[in-house]
Amino acid sequence: MKKNIYLFGPGMGEGNAGMKELLGGKGANLAEMSNLGIPVPPGFTITTEVCTYYVQHRKYPSDLGNEVEQALKRVEKAMGAKFGDPESPLLLSVRSGARASMPGMMETILNVGITEETIPGLIKKSGNERFVYDAYRRLIMMYSDVVLEKAQGIDPEEHGIRKQFEREIEETKKRKGLKDDTELSTEDLRQLCQTFKAKLKEVLKVDFPGDPTEQLWESIRAVFKSWMGKRAISYRNIEDIPDDWGTAVNVQAMVFGNMGENSATGVAFTRDPATGDKIFYGEFLPNAQGEDVVAGIRTPQPLNEATKAVLANELSSMEETMPQIYEELNSLQKKLETHYRDMQDIEFTVQEGKLFILQTRTGKRGGAAAIKIAVDMCEEGLISQKEALLQVKPEQISDLLHPMVSPKAERTATKLADGLPAGPGGAVGQIVFTADDAETQSKEGKKVILVRAETSPEDVHGMHVAEGVLTSTGGITSHAALVARGWGKCCIVGCSALNIDVSTRTVKVGGKTLKEGDWITLNGTKGTVYAETLPLFPADPEKNLSYKKLMIWADEIRGLKVRANADTSEDAKLSRKFGAVGIGLCRTEHMFFGPERIKLVREMILADNKEMRQKALGKLLPYQKEDFIMIFRAMNGMPVTIRTLDPPLHEFLPHNKSAQAEMAKQMRISPEALREKVELLSEVNPMLGHRGCRLGITYPEITEMQVQAIMEAACELTKKGIKVLPEIMIPLVGTKEELHNQREIVVRIAEVTKKKYGVDVNYLIGTMIEIPRAAVVADEIAEFADFFSFGTNDLTQLTFGYSRDDVVKFLPDYLENKILANDPFQTIDRKGVGELMKIGIQRGRLKKPNLKIGICGEHGGDPKSIAFCHQIGIDYVSCSTYRIPIARLTAAQANINSQ
Amino acid sequence: MKKNIYLFGPGMGEGNAGMKELLGGKGANLAEMSNLGIPVPPGFTITTEVCTYYVQHRKYPSDLGNEVEQALKRVEKAMGAKFGDPESPLLLSVRSGARASMPGMMETILNVGITEETIPGLIKKSGNERFVYDAYRRLIMMYSDVVLEKAQGIDPEEHGIRKQFEREIEETKKRKGLKDDTELSTEDLRQLCQTFKAKLKEVLKVDFPGDPTEQLWESIRAVFKSWMGKRAISYRNIEDIPDDWGTAVNVQAMVFGNMGENSATGVAFTRDPATGDKIFYGEFLPNAQGEDVVAGIRTPQPLNEATKAVLANELSSMEETMPQIYEELNSLQKKLETHYRDMQDIEFTVQEGKLFILQTRTGKRGGAAAIKIAVDMCEEGLISQKEALLQVKPEQISDLLHPMVSPKAERTATKLADGLPAGPGGAVGQIVFTADDAETQSKEGKKVILVRAETSPEDVHGMHVAEGVLTSTGGITSHAALVARGWGKCCIVGCSALNIDVSTRTVKVGGKTLKEGDWITLNGTKGTVYAETLPLFPADPEKNLSYKKLMIWADEIRGLKVRANADTSEDAKLSRKFGAVGIGLCRTEHMFFGPERIKLVREMILADNKEMRQKALGKLLPYQKEDFIMIFRAMNGMPVTIRTLDPPLHEFLPHNKSAQAEMAKQMRISPEALREKVELLSEVNPMLGHRGCRLGITYPEITEMQVQAIMEAACELTKKGIKVLPEIMIPLVGTKEELHNQREIVVRIAEVTKKKYGVDVNYLIGTMIEIPRAAVVADEIAEFADFFSFGTNDLTQLTFGYSRDDVVKFLPDYLENKILANDPFQTIDRKGVGELMKIGIQRGRLKKPNLKIGICGEHGGDPKSIAFCHQIGIDYVSCSTYRIPIARLTAAQANINSQ
């Protein structure tokens, strides 16, 4: 028979910290703390397996009733009270506890066990009638909300029973001229309990249960049901938590922080979660229950003098008001951090002078804090270098690479609204409501933030110039989120509190109305909006000593090399600053867009024959050569992988009429002739069209010019004694014949050029593997390749048959319906795309055992994808400049994890 | 040491028929005939390896000179004459002979060995001075043309030396009032020889060689060079012959058919190559050399009475004029056909009453003839059923499935011009020069043939309504050819003799001028154009007994099942007539285009919400249901695979302004709103966009409606006692989750519908495998699939990253540069696409060993692809109706070949 229940509490812990899967994070921690002698209120955990069973069968395992009864007896014994007993009634909390933390997503019911029958006993025992009626009205509120509404599938919203109850409290306070809930009298509270029960009968047509056992079982059921609730499901989608993990339920003896002035409740962190500073940091509320801290109705007081300083909170601290309790807590927090080897987030309650630890868990923290904590802990000897490296989430590093809202300023700022964090960093700017306004005003030198209900491809020009983007609808896969993430731009989406009216250029939030030109601040890493200008910290990781130490450790341990995708010498320089050991992708086409160059490119495209094309290309040559000289110089002997021309030629021609007319005039041809050419070059599916090496094969003179520019640049620098290592990469190869064809051109031009300069330059010739066929015939292709570089963007497009430009039409549905677990353009699809990569690597190395293999799609900067690259034997990842440090850390973690 | 030379001739054959690779087809045959005792003139074959060596090294193997000398001695001995000997000179022919027949592509030089010094001896020996000078002037003409011009890389064209020589002959004849070359006197010919030599000196600055050995060696070299000539290369591209096969050279004693009235030369077939009738069929010219027959200057005479009747040629036959020789020839032809077990094409010469067989090879034949010959030979006991099945090329069957130009009429018709055969069958119609004219005039009830320099996507509407298409430029991968082949429409491309002037609506061909409205006939199977209306045989294979027998044999032996791609009950009926055993692909979207339906489809697309969409779909339901009832009825219990909606929705909306305005009016919405919707639905890469099962997932109501229509139709018929076997196929699946999602919808609706009707209907649910990812994760997908069907069109697009709509931009270059050996949309790319298919089959059957697997891309009708499908274990191919018999035969051949 399966054990469905595990006890915890001083001297009675049945589980331990390793049983997270079965007991959930909270349950496992409570068990572990019991074992450690931490004063947790006793209770028991119903396992996650019961949840899964319940979700599948809509009923409980047959033995559960008995087990609960037995466990309850043990708890009753430990607390010296009895559940439902009129004399000395035990009260219970019923809380969810999933394997992964899902803060605020799951349900909790407190004070279970108060009934009209147990009230007198409770009053007698506590000597605090007001507290009892306060607890009762809280139970009625929570139970009605969670058990009687949400668990029945009713979405509470504005007209939910809880809101109605709250309005009753407000009315009572108004009527009596009170400001704070704590000012309500015992009679007020008793009256409210009666009013609530009547309301419940009226609105939901049910009685509040007078049977404590019914309260308990219905609360347990509600928690299990909340696992499949809408909010929980969407949170799991975001955080990648599988449905079948289920949640555990923790039933625990209640302890009360609201039993007078020698009671309190609070939350503490073993280090400052915003900065990582080694201070014991936290807040508490005297004479209050935990929900009061979370709800933010009363302003919490600082835990100690250190917190007081950080928060500039002048209220008296626990260190001052309850020094002994504080000392006990302080010594417990040190014990907990040392035990868990990580910064802890601790919930505690003081009941009439006695400290209880309700919960401890790994504390959430920002990027800078995470790095500082990891490095500090390592230097304190608490954790090893490897543990320090694993403690920082790679994405957290990006906090250091983007401007960040000052955490200090943020603590004291008033939040305007919350949304989903969709693009990292902070942004400060003036509100604009249309993409065109964004463009116009940014041209005038203004810093703007684009605020829209949602964005579409037509808004892209406005998004581009904006400091940040804020939308009221859409999730993390909405258009705005996808675009912003791609650019590394600060973005918050789905900020549903916003009520935008474009026609009047105003946005209402709560009671406030903001208009165009008003300043706001976005924290895109957290998803928070402020209606004021907060100071931003500029990105300068080099000044962060913890960061520098961590990256040195990472570089020492990682196996994968990290290169940059860089098209300019500026990018190249920055990439070296960020620790790249070479360029893995230099896109030559980006060099074609300068004003003087685009003219020559167009001349080349319009050429009627090879001679005219060659003439135009000849004029482009010096520009390209100069580009390469600059990049080679910047990389100073590190390998530079240069991809020959990739996009279809029509991308270089204007597509709207007026631009065409202008170009025709400039090129001295008729607009009709130009239009005809544009027409001729246009394609039904440009992604699958005349591009990549297909261009170099039909117009070999393009490849010839590019190779000449690369090799002349390389030869000139070599002559000057500067080391150069060009790696020429042919894009979009699907057959060995294509690579063979282009390789011959490269070799021919390279040899002629070297001879002309009279120097020797080592160079490699390789290919992108981005066409599914290339992966399948990689053995053939390897014959002509010195290296492979997986172009996972195109490989993903082709393996799935998804156009990256169009996928937004169905990707949100796919993610929501769990057709896809992730956006495959963000994280490599291991089963499909990854399988093709494995085939490509295996077959390529079958032919050439030492074939150098890299990846230069955007996945090269994605932690999960980098870990996969490490697993399958890739030599280097190449990613956009700002992802380099992230890739370095991920590569180190991948190596540690595979050891 | 490698043997470079193989002798042949009575009693001296060194090779045999099995040595085609080394000796070429002609050389191997000559050796084999020598062994059989066939009277071939003696000679020797220089191997194909020498050609390959020569092409690579631009010189001969070192021993070749000696070997030629030795072989020549043996030939001299056998003929009792000596090469270059003034008394009894031997003359030689030098001919190419590749492994595969390349008629008219390669070079031949006759009469090698005539010099001023050997002329007297020749005259003495032959007693025919006129013949000698005639032979000499022929040698000079051919040698100048082949050795001195073409082999030097000069493209002769209109101003070539040969043309100039021919003009000299014409002038002489004109001056002397002669009609025929044979009327030229000895003196005329001698004079012409002198004129030719002077002209040669004047134009090409060279002397005609007086050294017979120089003549021989230069002729051999010219043949080798011709292998890499432009014409030969382009022929090989078309016929898929590898360059490295090389050609052999056959040096053979000359025998003369022009040594007076008891000499002759001719060509014969062991059966009529046009009809397949079992008659000895051929033509001959008395007192002539072989080239006279080929050149068509003199009208050949019928070989026998049977030929006379067929050709309606009243000239006297060889059977009449040379009865003894004819009898010898007749008995030899029977021997040859029996020996080679196939219809033979025989070249022969009679030299002063003595018969020589110059060559025999498998005779080319039309489709109807091929089938008749194969079946007849089998029934005569000459070959087995399997041999008969292998003897017919699958493509030849299409001759019976398209209207064909009457072979009889074609024999007597005057050819206007030749082009490349690009679309099968015959077509008769009136010339039009633009696609718009084609459309207008065809609406007026005219049958038109679209004549263009080349076609582009803008011409498609005109091509569609035309009986046939004729272009003056472009090869077999030009736009016209690709489109016509796709439709099975009669088409001739690259007919370079045409000089088209669209402005005057005229086309000049040679001396003739045709104008709009003139009638022409195209034979698209052969590539021949006639300036007259020839009778067409309608396609009615059922009346062809040989065909019916052959197909019965094929069905008995084939392993692969053959199904039809059919979208209407008419197609379904026709497919059964052509022998399909089910429908492998029924595209439901084609049913959406009827005038009443498209309105409802558009209503569905414009719907703002699910309810409105469901309403529109509800109105579509009865139409779809009726379609399925008709198709199920037509197939009467055979399986019918129905694919749910596949194309993106924007395909159902009009894209030009006026059509949009009309639609907006009809749908009672503003044109702006419609334009906005079109805009919203438009995609950058529609091939990779919101289509296939992606539609069914975002709009489950579409799948629901389609399944309901299918199942209601199935249930109604089942109730009436008609057997129905629907197979519902989900398109564009890339993940198991997609198929799972759609499968649940199908099962749900199907079960509800069955219950509603109270009957049981067996149905299957399967998926297209057309996304590379689907092949890679086929094991996962198989879990939810009762069958797979490879959609090789899309699989090819995605595996290569080629858009079928755009590939024409580089495919011709790719084929020309041999980047690709074939158009992968015509023939499955075995290494890439085929490898993914193998992976898909292997993984799919790993999960479900008995998984039914088919293919329904257009490759399902391509013989090479069908053979591959057989090899990799596919269960059935599905192809367009007209390809069904071709597929049946190919399937049989594949099975025979794999035994």
Side-chain angles (χ1 to χ4, degrees), chain A residues 680-690 693-694 697-698 735-738 741 771-773 776-777 780 798-803 805-806 809-810 813-814 817-820 829 831-832 835-836 839 843, chain B residues 680-690 693-694 697-698 735-738 741 771-773 776-777 780 798-803 805-806 809-810 813-814 817-820 829 831-832 835-836 839 843:
Chain A
L680 193 72
L681 287 175
S682 79
E683 293 176 310
V684 180
N685 296 294
M687 198 270 134
L688 308 171
H690 196 186
C693 71
R694 299 165 197 173
I697 287 166
T698 51
T735 68
K736 73 163 191 283
E737 290 81 3
E738 287 170 318
N741 172 300
I771 299 273
R773 193 180 188 280
V776 172
V777 302
E780 290 191 357
L798 292 169
T799 303
F800 275 95
Y802 294 167
S803 162
D805 295 309
D806 304 309
K809 296 210 166 119
F810 57 87
D813 280 337
Y814 266 42
N817 290 323
K818 313 233 185 108
I819 305 286
L820 292 174
D829 157 53
K831 280 190 187 164
E835 182 68 16
L836 280 176
I839 290 173
R843 296 188 180 182
Chain B
L680 193 73
L681 287 174
S682 80
E683 294 176 311
V684 181
N685 297 292
M687 199 266 133
L688 307 172
H690 196 187
C693 69
R694 299 164 197 174
I697 287 167
T698 50
T735 68
K736 72 164 191 280
E737 290 81 3
E738 288 170 318
N741 173 300
I771 299 275
R773 193 180 190 280
V776 171
V777 302
E780 290 191 356
L798 292 169
T799 303
F800 275 94
Y802 294 167
S803 161
D805 295 310
D806 304 309
K809 295 210 168 117
F810 57 88
D813 280 337
Y814 266 42
N817 290 324
K818 314 235 184 103
I819 304 285
L820 292 175
D829 156 54
K831 281 190 187 162
E835 183 69 16
L836 281 176
I839 290 172
R843 297 188 179 181

Side-chain angles (χ1 to χ4, degrees), chain B residues 418-422 469-476 478 480-481 491-496:
Chain B
D418 276 322
L420 300 173
V469 177
L470 171 62
T471 73
S472 58
T473 62
I476 52 148
S478 62
C491 176
I492 297 172
V493 298
C495 187
S496 53

Side-chain angles (χ1 to χ4, degrees), chain B residues 4 12 78 167 197 217 254 313 328 378 382 429 534 575 612 630 697 701 732 759 791 798 873:
Chain B
N4 291 312
M12 54 197 268
R167 274 194 289 274
K197 290 208 247 180
W217 280 102
M254 288 290 298
N313 181 336
E328 191 188 346
C378 179
L382 197 58
L534 298 184
S575 78
M612 285 170 70
M630 304 271 284
I697 287 167
E701 51 276 15
L732 220 65
V759 288
L798 292 169

Side-chain angles (χ1 to χ4, degrees), chain A residues 153-425:
Chain A
I154 301 169
D155 192 356
E157 295 291 323
E158 204 47 38
H159 311 291
I161 196 82
R162 190 182 179 110
K163 288 275 173 194
Q164 298 191 38
F165 290 167
E166 278 166 5
R167 274 193 291 272
E168 294 292 341
I169 299 175
E170 288 312 305
E171 262 171 41
T172 305
K173 275 160 47 183
K174 213 167 150 189
R175 200 172 61 238
K176 306 196 71 174
L178 305 177
K179 231 189 85 193
D180 209 338
D181 286 6
T182 48
E183 297 172 76
L184 288 165
S185 70
T186 305
E187 189 44 39
D188 293 336
L189 290 166
R190 194 206 319 263
Q191 196 54 52
L192 277 169
C193 290
Q194 295 314 315
T195 313
F196 287 180
K197 291 207 247 178
K199 195 108 209 155
L200 196 57
K201 183 83 187 167
E202 175 199 334
V203 177
L204 296 179
K205 320 283 182 218
V206 289
D207 288 317
F208 182 75
D211 174 8
T213 305
E214 180 183 347
Q215 287 179 7
L216 175 61
W217 280 101
E218 287 305 309
S219 297
I220 292 171
R221 186 189 308 276
V223 172
F224 283 144
K225 278 189 172 178
S226 74
W227 176 255
M228 291 311 290
K230 235 174 155 178
R231 281 195 317 158
I233 289 177
S234 85
Y235 183 89
R236 289 200 296 273
N237 278 347
I238 293 166
E239 296 281 320
D240 259 349
I241 299 171
D243 279 354
D244 60 11
W245 279 9
T247 183
V249 177
N250 297 294
V251 177
Q252 191 172 22
M254 287 290 298
V255 292
F256 295 98
N258 59 349
M259 287 181 84
E261 287 310 313
N262 64 342
S263 296
T265 189
V267 175
F269 294 85
T270 58
R271 305 193 183 217
D272 184 338
T275 63
D277 288 339
K278 197 179 181 209
I279 56 167
F280 183 37
Y281 172 92
E283 295 176 323
F284 81 111
L285 277 173
N287 197 17
Q289 273 192 287
E291 59 161 3
D292 298 329
V293 183
V294 177
I297 295 165
R298 283 166 57 191
T299 304
Q301 295 169 219
L303 196 63
N304 49 20
E305 297 309 299
T307 306
K308 194 188 265 189
V310 168
L311 291 180
N313 182 336
E314 292 306 319
L315 299 172
S316 46
S317 71
M318 194 181 190
E319 197 174 4
E320 293 170 303
T321 57
M322 298 177 167
Q324 271 185 324
I325 299 280
Y326 174 76
E327 269 322 307
E328 189 188 348
L329 182 63
N330 194 18
S331 98
L332 282 171
Q333 66 99 358
K334 284 178 190 159
K335 195 170 176 181
L336 285 168
E337 187 180 91
T338 306
H339 178 73
Y340 287 111
R341 308 164 78 79
D342 202 347
M343 186 264 274
Q344 294 296 298
D345 171 354
I346 300 164
E347 285 180 25
F348 63 89
T349 280
V350 182
Q351 178 172 309
E352 296 176 311
K354 186 159 188 264
L355 175 66
F356 287 96
I357 302 296
L358 302 185
Q359 177 174 275
T360 185
R361 57 186 172 191
T362 301
K364 300 220 162 196
R365 66 205 82 174
I371 293 167
K372 181 160 172 48
I373 290 170
V375 172
D376 284 357
M377 282 191 169
C378 178
E379 296 191 330
E380 291 161 18
L382 198 59
I383 57 176
S384 69
Q385 276 189 6
K386 285 181 186 176
E387 283 173 301
L389 285 164
L390 290 175
Q391 210 180 69
V392 179
K393 288 188 191 165
E395 284 297 343
Q396 290 181 312
I397 292 196
S398 72
D399 284 7
L400 297 188
L401 310 178
H402 293 89
M404 290 299 294
V405 180
S406 152
K408 210 160 214 164
E410 211 174 348
R411 270 182 179 134
T412 53
T414 314
K415 186 164 76 173
L416 181 70
D418 276 322
L420 299 172

Side-chain angles (χ1 to χ4, degrees), chain B residues 78 162 171 336 352 439 466 490 510 583 593 628 654 689 692 736 741 749 819 824 839 858 870 880 884 890:
Chain B
R162 189 182 179 111
E171 262 170 42
L336 285 168
E352 295 175 310
E439 197 170 49
C490 175
I583 290 180
F593 279 103
F628 295 134
K736 72 164 191 280
N741 173 300
I749 301 290
I819 304 285
I839 290 172
E858 277 169 53
H870 177 85
S880 65
I884 291 167
T890 309

